[in-house]
């Protein structure tokens, strides 16, 4: 069955793609498009053409799995030029998500009609690329440079309504009548000179006001920092104003190929598939019967409980939140409402939506109100005795068949499950702070966790907008476990003479949002502190005894001004120097390269141990965890992909040079010239 078929409706030829799951523009689809338009042009009875797709979406872009492989069939640019060149009107009939090459196909058609739920976009920049089939040249000529910039440089899709408003879509048609409405629209265009996007002049706005490009760079500086593709996108859209169409397409091609052969796009394409792989659980049928989750209970309304609850409320799932005391409950519910109201103030929610979410939240001081929940997530103090007491109590109250989950950061899920009579319904759901914002969810699979319970959690994570990865039961699971050796090396290096602000700067330069000491200040230097200012055994004890608990008190490793800007503190330099002297640590100059290697290589090594022990299903899951939970820069692909890029032999050599342990799996892969990913 060819992926492209044609249907003749009197004088209209409909070219139909059926290439599940997302009508990716693979070689056969491109060839089919060319054959389809040839058929239309060679049939005199045909006076107009409609291009549409079967399945869940219009073309969702080039076939990413073909990247990096020798090109088969016509390239997309040439294929769609044939559509535009047609002297018979060609109409794109859009539903689902017309993305990347799919949006470029639509732009090459003379007209675009779309159902109200459709979206259009050029997300190539999220793959470290720019549109490569003239999208950066046709789009500005249709919608103007100003409207084209965010679509090309940020890459978020726009609604059909917005696309219509900016002139990208000519007509919004019936949600259920796309095929027939498109044919009717095509028939109305017969006899008119087809408008060709490549001849559009809307991009004059960029010529008349070239300042828009610098303005865009300035406004989006933080968002695009470190990425190569956004600047290439700006240059390509600018070229649409400065060069002829043909020269602009040539320029786009040069910029595209430079990115395609660069490391960033390889890393970001790796991440695209890694995110999709992470929600697959080896050995479990994705179609296994799931446990319906209609009502969720949250235990503890502290830093995490409230944010966790918001994820379900925002997805329309009723939440009952239970606390020990009225005051803690009021505080927790107050934080939820304030967060929603702030989101509404920023125009990302309506007042109705805020009240809608709050109306399905039930605060309570009684565990009994959790009895009919389908899932209860515990977020109480990080103490094993408290966790066990709470789970034993929940087990006696919550209905049979309901899932009991812990948000513990480090504790042993199997030990917690063992105090219940339903260990197969117990697992870890490890959210990250702030839980209503951070995308990552570590799903911790207990020894006895049932397959349907695990898959239910995985599917639920997508429903609440999280990116999930499965971890086995080990201290700190995947993320925190790999964080420990990094923090440890950071603390050792400042004892050996490295400046803590230099250590932070190395990670900032690498692309992290913050370094280890900034992170301590944000999370709170006093987390887990014994609260006895007389007892000073560690550097942290000394800082806490000096009242340096972190950003929340305006000083930690750094001093902070009102604007939360940080300054290295002489008092801390003094404390570190005293500690190093007491420990008899010889002080020496430590280079930025050594700092980077000693911070990142031990993490990779810990990742290898996690894979050795089967605590992660695949290396790419570790990349997903660190990119979504710890700000590892996306354009390097995550710790395991980055290590592959650096070369595992170099990682091993670096670890040995610094006298650091090397995991067996890492040693073996390096010796075999292997990689963690693929
Ligand atoms: N190529 C190949 N496979 C793709 C694909 C693509 N473009 N898009 C999705 N898939 C696979 C995906 O791996 C998964 O496979 C399945 O389809 C369902 O996807 C020249 C150079 C369309 C919004 O960047 O954003 O065009 O895991 O789980 O959540 O200028 O997929 O089931 O085996 O994500 O409903 C530009 C990428 C390409 C869009 C659907 N296009 N796709 O989301 O399902 S570059 C994109 C998406 C380009 C040109 C350039 C989303 C989606 P599996 P899914 P979903
Ligand atoms: P927190 O101290 O801010 O809040 C805990 C809340 O639990 C308090 O309000 C307390 O009153 C309540 N509580 C204690 N015992 C209770 C009981 N028996 N029944 C009902 N409520 C009870 O702590 P947190 O930072 O929200 O951490 C909660 C859990 O989440 C811990 O296991 C922690 O390790 C984990 N976690 C924390 C973070 C973080 O960044 N804070 C991130 C991920 C996971």
């Amino acid at each position: 069955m060819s992926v492209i078929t044609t249907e003749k409706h009197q004088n209209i030829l409909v070219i139909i793609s059926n290439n599940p799951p997302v009508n990716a523009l693979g070689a056969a689809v491109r060839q089919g498009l060319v054959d389809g338009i040839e058929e239309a042009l060679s049939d005199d009875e045909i006076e107009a053409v409609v291009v549409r797709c079967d399945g869940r979406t219009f073309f969702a872009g080039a076939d990413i799995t073909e990247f990096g492989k020798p090109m088969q069939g016509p390239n997309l640019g040439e294929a769609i030029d044939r559509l535009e060149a047609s002297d018979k009107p060609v109409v794109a009939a859009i539903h689902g998500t017309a993305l990347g090459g799919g949006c470029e196909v639509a732009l090459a058609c003379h007209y675009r009609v779309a159902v109200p739920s459709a979206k259009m976009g050029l997300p190539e920049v999220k793959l470290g690329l720019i549109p490569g089939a003239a999208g950066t040249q046709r789009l500005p000529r249709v919608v103007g440079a100003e409207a084209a910039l965010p679509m090309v440089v940020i890459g978020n899709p726009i609604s059909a309504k917005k696309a219509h408003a900016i002139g990208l879509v000519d007509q919004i048609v019936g949600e259920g009548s796309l095929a027939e409405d498109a044919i009717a629209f095509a028939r109305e265009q017969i006899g008119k000179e087809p408008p060709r996007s490549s001849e559009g002049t809307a991009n004059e706005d960029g010529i008349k006001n070239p300042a828009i490009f610098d303005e865009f760079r300035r406004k989006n500086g933080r968002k695009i920092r470190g990425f190569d593709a956004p600047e290439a996108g700006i240059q390509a859209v600018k070229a649409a104003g400065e060069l002829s169409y043909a020269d602009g397409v040539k320029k786009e091609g040069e910029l595209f190929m430079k990115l395609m052969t660069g490391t960033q796009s390889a890393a970001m394409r790796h991440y695209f598939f890694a995110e999709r792989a992470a929600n697959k659980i080896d050995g479990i049928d994705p179609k296994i019967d799931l446990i319906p989750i209609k009502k969720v209970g949250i235990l503890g309304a502290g830093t995490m409980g409230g944010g966790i609850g918001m994820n379900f409320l925002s997805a329309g799932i009723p939440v009952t939140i239970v606390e020990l005391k009225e005051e803690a409950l009021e505080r927790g519910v107050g934080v939820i409402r304030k967060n929603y109201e702030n989101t509404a103030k920023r125009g990302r929610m309506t007042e109705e939506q805020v009240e809608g979410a709050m109306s399905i939240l039930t605060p309570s001081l009684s565990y009994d109100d959790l009895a009919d929940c389908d899932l209860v997530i515990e977020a109480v103090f990080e103490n094993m005795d408290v966790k066990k007491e709470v789970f034993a109590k929940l087990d006696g109250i919550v209905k049979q068949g309901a899932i009991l989950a812990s948000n513990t950061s480090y504790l042993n899920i199997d030990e917690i499950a063992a105090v219940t009579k339903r260990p197969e319904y117990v697992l870890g759901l490890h959210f990250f702070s702030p839980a209503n914002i951070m995308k990552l969810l570590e799903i911790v699979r207990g020894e006895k966790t049932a397959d349907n319970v695990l898959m239910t959690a995985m599917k639920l994570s997508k429903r609440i907008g999280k990116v999930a990865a499965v971890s086995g039961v080990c201290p700190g699971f995947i993320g925190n476990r790999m964080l420990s050796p990094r923090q440890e090396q950071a603390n050792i290096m400042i004892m050996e003479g490295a400046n803590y602000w230099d250590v932070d700067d190395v990670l900032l330069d690498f692309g992290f949002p913050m370094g280890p000491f900034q992170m301590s200040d944000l999370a709170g230097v006093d987390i887990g502190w014994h609260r006895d200012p007389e007892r000073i055994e560690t550097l942290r004890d000394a800082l806490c005894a000096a009242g340096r608990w972190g950003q929340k008190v305006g000083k930690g490793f750094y001093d902070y001004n009102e604007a939360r800007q940080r300054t290295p503190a002489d008092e801390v330099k003094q404390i570190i120097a005293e500690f190093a002297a007491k420990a008899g640590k010889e002080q020496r100059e430590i280079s930025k390269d050594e700092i980077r290697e000693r911070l990142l290589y031990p993490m990779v090594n810990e990742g290898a141990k996690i894979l050795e022990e089967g605590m992660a299903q695949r290396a790419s899951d570790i990349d997903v965890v660190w990119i979504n939970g710890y700000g590892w820069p996306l354009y390097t692909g995550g710790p395991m992909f980055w290590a592959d890029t650096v070369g595992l032999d170099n990682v091993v050599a670096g670890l040995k040079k610094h006298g650091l342990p090397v995991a067996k799996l890492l040693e073996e892969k390096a010796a075999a010239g292997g990689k963690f990913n693929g």
Side-chain angles (χ1 to χ4, degrees):
M1 171 74 172
S2 166
V3 287
I4 295 274
T5 54
T6 58
E7 281 174 8
K8 208 169 167 175
H9 297 257
Q10 289 119 19
N11 58 349
I12 307 294
L13 186 77
V14 182
I15 301 173
I16 304 163
S17 172
N18 187 8
N19 183 30
V22 295
N23 282 300
L25 290 150
V29 174
R30 298 192 301 271
Q31 187 58 56
L33 280 174
V34 170
D35 298 347
I37 197 68
E38 294 309 333
E39 180 186 337
L41 296 178
S42 59
D43 182 340
D44 293 341
E45 285 178 15
I46 296 300
E47 294 180 280
V49 181
V50 169
V51 177
R52 75 169 175 77
C53 297
D54 278 345
R56 65 181 181 182
T57 180
F58 192 76
F59 307 108
D63 187 335
I64 307 170
T65 61
E66 290 183 348
F67 291 179
K69 298 177 186 143
M71 165 72 78
Q72 310 282 330
N75 84 26
L76 185 59
E78 291 156 10
I80 61 179
D81 282 351
R82 315 283 269 274
L83 295 172
E84 189 182 66
S86 160
D87 53 14
K88 299 179 180 180
V90 181
V91 177
I94 301 165
H95 76 294
T97 50
L99 302 177
C103 184
E104 290 171 303
V105 169
L107 277 163
C109 295
H110 304 128
Y111 303 96
R112 289 154 290 281
V113 300
V115 295
S117 64
K119 289 192 179 334
M120 298 183 75
L122 294 169
E124 286 86 345
V125 73
K126 296 178 190 285
L127 297 168
L129 297 168
I130 59 171
T136 67
Q137 301 308 303
R138 285 196 170 100
L139 183 67
R141 285 175 165 79
V142 173
V143 304
E146 190 142 20
L149 274 173
M151 290 186 71
V152 171
V153 181
I154 306 300
N156 295 331
I158 62 173
S159 67
K161 187 161 169 257
K162 174 84 188 285
H164 188 243
I166 63 173
L168 180 54
V169 160
D170 299 283
Q171 191 172 83
I172 303 288
V173 297
E175 191 63 49
S177 58
L178 176 63
E180 49 273 36
D181 292 354
I183 290 171
F185 181 90
R187 212 161 262 137
E188 289 159 17
Q189 312 316 316
I190 294 170
K192 297 180 189 164
E193 175 58 28
R196 293 183 173 82
S197 306
S198 61
E199 296 161 3
T201 59
N203 58 327
E204 278 164 4
D205 64 338
I207 303 166
K208 292 197 188 97
N209 177 15
I212 61 170
F213 299 104
D214 281 344
E215 179 57 19
F216 189 89
R217 283 187 184 94
R218 194 187 57 70
K219 262 198 357 221
N220 294 280
R222 261 168 74 86
K223 214 182 278 176
I224 62 179
R225 186 170 73 91
F227 292 87
D228 297 338
E231 179 54 31
I234 294 170
Q235 289 175 20
V237 173
K238 196 158 182 289
E242 295 166 344
L243 304 175
S244 69
Y245 176 75
D247 290 346
V249 170
K250 193 160 161 292
K251 168 98 175 168
E252 175 195 273
E254 288 155 8
L255 292 165
F256 178 85
M257 280 320 293
K258 189 155 176 282
L259 294 167
M260 176 64 94
T261 52
T263 55
Q264 288 203 353
S265 181
M268 295 167 76
R269 282 180 268 141
H270 157 73
Y271 178 75
F272 176 86
F273 290 111
E275 187 181 310
R276 282 151 185 82
N279 56 41
K280 297 187 173 73
I281 306 174
D282 296 345
I284 300 183
D285 173 0
K287 296 195 177 52
I288 193 170
D289 290 343
L290 305 178
I291 296 167
I293 305 294
K294 297 194 188 68
K295 185 178 176 193
V296 170
I298 307 285
L299 205 57
T303 311
M304 295 303 288
I308 294 171
M310 289 177 72
N311 292 302
F312 297 96
L313 296 172
S314 304
I317 302 171
V319 170
T320 297
I321 191 161
V322 173
E323 256 289 352
L324 283 176
K325 299 198 186 69
E326 186 58 43
E327 181 226 340
L329 189 59
E330 268 176 27
R331 190 192 54 239
V333 172
V335 170
I336 294 176
R337 173 171 283 284
K338 194 162 90 7
N339 284 340
Y340 275 134
E341 284 168 356
N342 287 344
T343 307
K345 271 202 211 99
R346 285 196 295 271
R348 288 212 299 258
M349 267 179 101
T350 63
E351 272 314 316
E352 292 69 43
Q353 288 171 321
V354 171
E355 294 317 319
M358 293 307 289
S359 69
I360 55 173
L361 173 64
T362 306
S364 166
L365 294 173
S366 165
Y367 277 54
D368 295 341
D369 292 336
L370 299 172
D372 62 344
C373 288
D374 305 300
L375 163 67
V376 176
I377 304 173
E378 158 277 314
V380 303
F381 300 137
E382 183 74 348
N383 172 292
M384 185 54 97
D385 296 339
V386 174
K387 303 278 191 200
K388 286 182 173 176
E389 181 218 329
V390 159
F391 269 74
K393 201 168 167 190
L394 287 172
D395 190 34
I397 292 169
V398 181
K399 68 182 179 185
Q400 289 308 306
I403 299 173
L404 303 181
S406 173
N407 185 53
T408 177
S409 307
Y410 284 88
L411 299 174
N412 185 311
I413 293 290
D414 293 328
E415 207 179 319
I416 293 172
V419 302
T420 73
K421 297 184 191 60
R422 61 172 96 185
E424 68 278 14
Y425 285 89
V426 176
L427 78 176
L429 289 181
H430 184 211
F431 291 80
F432 288 73
S433 180
N436 54 314
I437 308 285
M438 294 298 284
K439 295 273 286 174
L440 180 65
L441 177 63
E442 274 183 329
I443 298 179
V444 185
R445 180 184 202 163
E447 202 182 309
K448 297 205 171 94
T449 303
D451 290 355
N452 66 332
V453 169
L454 199 61
M455 190 55 86
T456 297
M458 184 57 82
K459 299 287 183 190
L460 185 62
S461 69
K462 208 161 185 179
R463 213 168 129 200
I464 60 172
K466 297 300 182 191
V467 175
V470 175
S471 170
V473 175
C474 59
F477 315 127
I478 297 174
N480 286 344
R481 177 174 168 178
M482 290 168 69
L483 185 63
S484 307
R486 186 186 87 175
Q487 297 303 92
E488 188 189 336
Q489 279 299 310
N491 289 326
I492 292 170
M493 282 191 278
I494 62 173
M495 286 298 135
E496 295 172 354
N499 297 321
Y500 63 88
W501 54 97
D502 286 342
V503 173
D504 281 345
D505 287 348
V506 163
L507 286 194
L508 287 170
D509 296 346
F510 185 81
F512 276 94
M514 66 182 67
F517 299 104
Q518 288 167 285
M519 194 183 214
S520 293
D521 279 0
L522 185 69
V525 180
D526 62 327
I527 282 193
W529 179 45
H530 49 63
R531 310 268 150 204
D532 174 1
E534 300 312 313
R535 201 173 104 206
I536 298 184
E537 288 148 5
T538 66
L539 175 62
R540 187 171 63 127
D541 290 347
L543 265 68
C544 290
R548 289 185 163 274
W549 298 357
Q551 258 192 37
K552 60 189 172 192
V553 294
K555 60 179 181 176
F557 280 91
Y558 297 91
D559 293 332
Y560 295 88
N561 63 16
E562 283 70 46
R564 288 183 179 268
Q565 284 156 334
R566 65 191 168 104
T567 313
D570 293 342
E571 181 183 20
V572 176
K573 294 174 195 170
Q574 189 51 38
I575 290 173
I576 293 172
E578 282 162 13
F579 252 84
K582 226 183 325 169
K585 287 280 181 189
E586 188 212 325
Q587 303 294 288
R588 64 183 178 89
E589 198 61 36
I590 301 185
S591 71
K592 289 197 177 243
D593 286 350
E594 177 175 348
I595 291 173
R596 192 182 56 256
E597 290 177 3
R598 286 177 63 181
L599 291 176
L600 303 181
Y601 287 177
M603 290 178 57
V604 171
N605 190 64
E606 197 63 32
K609 287 162 69 178
I610 287 170
L611 290 171
E612 266 172 25
E613 297 161 19
M615 290 298 137
Q617 297 187 91
R618 50 190 83 86
S620 61
D621 286 7
I622 297 176
D623 293 330
V624 165
V625 164
W626 267 82
I627 287 170
N628 288 286
Y630 300 81
W632 184 287
L634 172 61
Y635 50 77
T636 68
M640 308 315 276
F641 184 86
W642 172 74
D644 289 341
T645 313
V646 169
L648 300 187
D649 52 345
N650 292 325
V651 175
V652 170
L655 287 165
K656 289 185 174 167
K657 183 172 70 184
H658 302 306
L660 296 165
V662 180
K664 188 161 156 298
L665 177 68
L666 175 54
E667 189 99 52
E668 286 166 0
K669 278 191 175 292
K675 290 185 172 197
F676 285 119
N677 290 282

